[in-house]
């Protein structure tokens, strides 16, 4: 098979010039060749934009936009996208868009959409008839200041499409009926394009009684197997695979079996291959590990039977000794440090489990007066309150709140270069609000209830390493932490301001706003006591021409929020966004890059992705994450975390020779730094698939 000319050009990136300088401009040549030789010849062409829009609507590719807009208004929105003369920044960006996002004919033989068309369709759909809003939305997307998450960007405006929401989470009560209902939810939510996570911590352990008969419960593993099969079967029209996660509290009796299911050499009867696993870690566990003493794990059913409270809803700092002393609570002894090392070993082999430091998450939770965070999602960045619904035959069904969250990300480089952070945050918040208001998950009533009452969104960011490298700042440096501290403080400020403006316009706040730290003013104390501003001159120069909020600005905002409320219970979260970062020609999320020129295998072709802004002057600033001090990486994440009301998908990057005790020490450092979670642990020799649910 002959190699495609664009692939040949792309592969020349790795060849240095005669003067030993980088050959990255060959990637620009590859983009041009890709369009000339592949995209354009396979693109359906229309006489006019109006003809194109009519065709898309008439053939059921698009929703009927003519019911919302006049033809001239529709054309004007498409024209505004094309007027920007957008060009993809890399071959990978163009390939990723046309392979994963562009609308194709039903038989897949021709492309129907260009990048501008997808943006226009997305903008028109989210604007729901407001031409002015559609133009605003086009502007932030075509300038690559803001990128909606994959479900929104892929589906908005399409007639035959999945949902626009990225993440769904729910609790499972300890009953067969609740487990069956959760399976039903899992299949439905997965089929409409979301990543789904369940908290299994309330389920009784292996060997616990059922209907008073001892040793009848099979524990959590069979439930995990059922969910794995559901997610494998239920995908979005075969275009995106189903993806799910299961979380278990570390004090649950089945925790060792839970971890063993991810071992590479595990017996096929217990091995969990595709379901993602996460461990819920209370601070009490970390304290016991630090002391070097043995610790106890408990049978959750005996705990609930004795106290009427689920194990994972207890404050283990207060209840651990009480549970340990109660002879009616079934328990057994394990070595804490050995379990921590076991988690590290499992992570080294498989990348799993994720870890959520649940007390860190709740200590920083602005809605602590309303509810508790108990687990996280497929990518460990969603941190929201949840409640378990009561579903049991013979009893009235009591639907409580699950979790629904839609995502999107700012491009740090473009909003900084364009001095447009405030506008980008405001417009992005309006777009995310539109998704929330249009979302109807009636077949999963707990998810629907959460969305209707809390209106949660998750605005994140990407291209941190790219922007730092462009400005000759090392990722591990004090200057990087200085920049991140100011940038994410500003992002937080403008996010609260935008949510307040939405609440004011709707005359409505999220449910129980008056019980939150926003209403009491407690949340704002860390900002009203002193100014946050750049400490280094080179960082200060980056913010020239931008208004950095002062303590007085924060005091004013606090008063406005007290008066008008907030529309969104949750606003900010930083997802991995690997897929969409390619389209944006950005470094993914806020994590460091793994390779200056990334290698990817697609079909029979090997392609290369040079990091954004890569040239001879920035090369030195693109240090691989595998060569970084992970303690410094986590310290940077902790700086960002101060300003993010939810979480950050924090990835540890280790080399193959890193021993498990060293990995376990990273867990201790992460907990002490106040991180809320750790996502994957990536070993240099291993490869883990991208997160599907939270590609933002």
């Amino acid at each position: 098979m002959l190699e495609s000319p664009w692939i040949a050009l792309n592969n020349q990136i790795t060849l240095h010039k005669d003067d030993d300088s980088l050959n990255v401009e060959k990637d620009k040549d590859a983009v041009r060749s890709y369009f000339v030789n592949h995209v354009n010849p396979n693109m359906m062409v229309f006489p006019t934009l109006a003809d194109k829009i009519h065709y898309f609507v008439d053939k059921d590719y698009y929703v009927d936009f003519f019911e919302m807009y006049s033809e001239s208004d529709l054309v004007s929105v498409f024209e505004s996208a094309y007027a920007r003369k957008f060009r993809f920044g890399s071959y990978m960006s163009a390939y990723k868009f046309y392979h994963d996002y562009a609308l194709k004919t039903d038989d897949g033989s021709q492309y129907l959409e260009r990048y501008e068309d997808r943006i226009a369709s997305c903008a028109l759909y989210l604007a729901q008839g407001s031409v002015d809003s559609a133009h605003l939305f086009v502007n932030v997307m075509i300038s690559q200041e803001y990128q909606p998450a994959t479900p929104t960007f892929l589906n908005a405006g399409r007639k035959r499409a999945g949902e626009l929401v990225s993440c769904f989470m729910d609790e499972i009560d300890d009953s067969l009926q609740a487990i069956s209902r959760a399976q039903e939810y899992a299949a439905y939510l997965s089929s409409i394009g979301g990543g789904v996570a369940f908290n299994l911590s309330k389920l009784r352990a292996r060997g616990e009684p059922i209907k008073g008969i001892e040793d009848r419960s099979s524990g959590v593993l069979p439930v995990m197997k059922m969910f794995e099969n559901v997610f494998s079967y239920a995908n979005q029209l075969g275009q995106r695979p189903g993806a799910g996660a299961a979380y278990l509290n570390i004090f649950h009796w089945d925790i060792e079996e839970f971890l063993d299911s991810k071992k590479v050499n595990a017996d096929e009867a217990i091995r969990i291959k595709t379901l993602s696993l996460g461990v819920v870690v209370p601070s009490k566990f970390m304290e016991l590990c630090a002391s070097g003493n043995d610790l106890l794990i408990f049978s959750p059913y005996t705990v609930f039977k004795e106290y009427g409270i689920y194990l994972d809803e207890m404050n283990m700092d207060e209840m651990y000794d009480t549970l340990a002393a109660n002879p009616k609570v079934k328990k057994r002894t394990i070595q804490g440090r050995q379990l921590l090392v076991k988690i590290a070993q499992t992570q080294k082999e498989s990348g799993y489990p994720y870890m959520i430091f649940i007390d860190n998450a709740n200590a920083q939770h602005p809605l602590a007066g309303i509810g508790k965070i108990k687990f996280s999602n497929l990518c460990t960045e969603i941190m929201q309150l949840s409640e378990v619904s009561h579903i049991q035959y013979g009893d009235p069904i009591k639907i409580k709140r699950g979790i629904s969250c839609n995502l999107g990300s700012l491009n740090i480089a473009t909003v900084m270069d364009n001095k447009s952070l405030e506008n980008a945050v405001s417009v992005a918040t309006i777009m995310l609000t539109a998704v929330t208001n249009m979302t109807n998950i009636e077949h999963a009533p707990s998810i629907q209830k959460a969305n209707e009452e809390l209106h949660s969104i998750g605005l994140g960011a990407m291209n941190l390493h790219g922007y730092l490298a462009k400005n000759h700042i090392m990722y591990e440096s004090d200057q990087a932490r200085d920049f991140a501290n100011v940038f994410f403080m500003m992002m937080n400020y403008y996010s609260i301001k935008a949510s307040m403006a939405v609440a004011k316009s709707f005359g409505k706040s999220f449910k129980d706003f008056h019980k939150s730290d926003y209403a009491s003013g407690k949340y704002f104390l860390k900002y009203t006591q002193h100014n946050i501003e750049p400490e280094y001159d080179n960082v200060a120069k980056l913010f020239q021409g931008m208004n950095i909020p002062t303590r007085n600005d924060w005091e004013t905002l606090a008063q406005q929020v007290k008066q008008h409320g907030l529309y969104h219970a949750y606003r900010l979260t930083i997802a991995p966004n690997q897929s969409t970062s390619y389209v944006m020609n950005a470094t993914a999320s806020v994590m460091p890059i793994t390779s200056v020129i990334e290698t990817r295998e697609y079909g029979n072709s090997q392609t290369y992705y040079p990091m954004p802004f890569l040239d001879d002057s920035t090369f030195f600033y693109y240090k691989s994450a595998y060569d970084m001090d992970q303690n410094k990486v986590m310290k940077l994440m902790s700086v960002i975390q101060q300003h993010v009301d939810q979480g950050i998908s924090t990835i540890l990057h280790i080399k193959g020779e890193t021993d498990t005790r060293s990995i376990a020490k990273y867990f201790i450092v992460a907990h002490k730094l106040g991180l809320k979670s750790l996502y994957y642990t990536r070993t240099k020799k291993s490869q883990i698939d991208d997160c599907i649910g939270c590609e933002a």
Side-chain angles (χ1 to χ4, degrees), residues 218-261:
S218 299
V220 300
L221 189 63
V223 178
M224 293 157 62
K225 282 282 189 183
M226 287 190 293
F227 280 123
E228 183 167 62
N229 292 333
V230 167
F231 291 124
S232 297
Y233 177 76
N235 57 51
Q236 190 185 344
L237 298 175
Q239 190 163 0
R240 298 176 69 233
Y247 279 81
L248 192 70
N249 192 285
I250 205 162
F251 285 109
H252 192 288
W253 181 279
D254 287 347
I255 188 63
E256 291 179 296
E257 186 175 284
F258 182 81
L259 295 172
D260 287 341
S261 70

Side-chain angles (χ1 to χ4, degrees), residues 412 464-469 471-488 534-536 538-540 542-543 590 592 621 628 632-633 635-640 642-643:
I412 294 172
L464 177 60
H465 199 171
Y467 183 70
L468 293 173
N471 290 282
H472 296 179
I473 297 174
M474 296 298 293
Y475 186 92
E476 298 167 279
S477 68
D478 291 340
Q479 289 91 335
R481 290 189 288 275
D482 188 30
F483 170 78
N485 189 37
V486 177
F487 179 88
F488 285 97
E535 297 178 5
Y536 292 89
N538 61 331
V539 174
L542 300 177
F543 290 98
V590 293
Y621 297 93
M628 288 186 180
K632 290 183 177 179
V633 174
K635 189 173 181 180
L636 176 56
M637 294 305 107
S638 72
V639 170
I640 298 171
Q642 299 174 77
H643 309 296

Side-chain angles (χ1 to χ4, degrees), residues 600-617:
R600 282 277 176 164
E601 298 283 346
Y602 287 108
N604 297 322
S605 301
Q606 182 166 278
T607 60
Y608 296 94
Y609 174 54
M611 292 300 104
F613 319 116
L614 181 63
D615 58 29
D616 293 315
S617 70

Side-chain angles (χ1 to χ4, degrees), residues 246-364:
Y247 279 81
L248 192 70
N249 192 285
I250 205 162
F251 285 109
H252 192 288
W253 181 279
D254 287 347
I255 188 63
E256 291 179 296
E257 186 175 284
F258 182 81
L259 295 172
D260 287 341
S261 70
K262 273 297 180 184
K263 284 186 174 180
V264 174
N265 61 353
D267 186 277
E268 287 299 311
I270 68 165
R271 189 178 177 197
I272 298 295
K273 297 178 182 177
T274 59
L275 186 71
S276 299
L277 304 187
V279 176
V280 179
V281 184
S283 293
K284 186 65 178 180
F285 174 80
M286 302 302 291
E287 175 194 316
L288 293 168
C289 287
S291 69
N293 296 327
D294 292 344
L295 57 84
L296 299 170
I297 56 176
F298 306 96
S299 292
Y301 178 72
T302 64
V303 172
F304 184 79
K305 187 177 179 181
E306 184 69 11
Y307 296 96
I309 304 171
Y310 289 107
L311 176 67
D312 70 309
E313 297 191 1
M314 289 180 166
N315 182 328
M316 292 305 288
D317 287 338
E318 298 175 356
M319 289 298 297
Y320 180 83
D321 291 339
T322 301
L323 296 177
N326 190 338
K328 294 182 181 179
V329 173
K330 185 179 177 183
K331 60 189 75 72
R332 61 188 171 93
T333 302
I334 61 172
Q335 291 183 319
R337 288 184 178 177
Q338 185 175 326
L339 182 57
L340 203 62
V341 170
K342 184 173 188 173
I343 292 172
Q345 180 62 45
T346 308
Q347 284 196 345
K348 191 172 181 180
E349 290 182 9
S350 66
Y352 302 99
Y354 312 144
M355 299 177 74
I356 173 170
F357 301 111
I358 200 66
D359 291 324
N360 284 357
N362 279 297
Q364 303 172 56

Side-chain angles (χ1 to χ4, degrees), residues 365-372 385 512 515-517:
H365 186 209
L367 274 63
I370 304 173
K372 288 182 65 175
L385 67 87
D512 294 328
K515 298 179 182 179
S516 72
D517 290 350

Side-chain angles (χ1 to χ4, degrees), residues 169-175 178-179 182 185 198-203 304 308-313 372 374-375 385-392 396-403 446 449:
M169 301 157 59
D170 210 357
E171 306 233 32
I172 305 178
D173 199 9
D174 184 33
S175 72
I179 294 170
Y185 291 176
F198 288 102
N199 180 16
L200 307 185
S201 300
K202 293 175 173 60
L203 302 185
F304 184 79
I309 304 171
Y310 289 107
L311 176 67
D312 70 309
E313 297 191 1
K372 288 182 65 175
K374 298 171 196 166
F375 69 119
L385 67 87
S386 61
E387 302 147 340
V388 65
S389 298
H390 183 78
I391 301 172
Q392 198 162 26
I397 293 177
K398 298 177 183 177
I399 299 298
K400 300 291 186 72
R401 286 179 290 208
I403 297 172
S446 58
K449 182 180 178 66

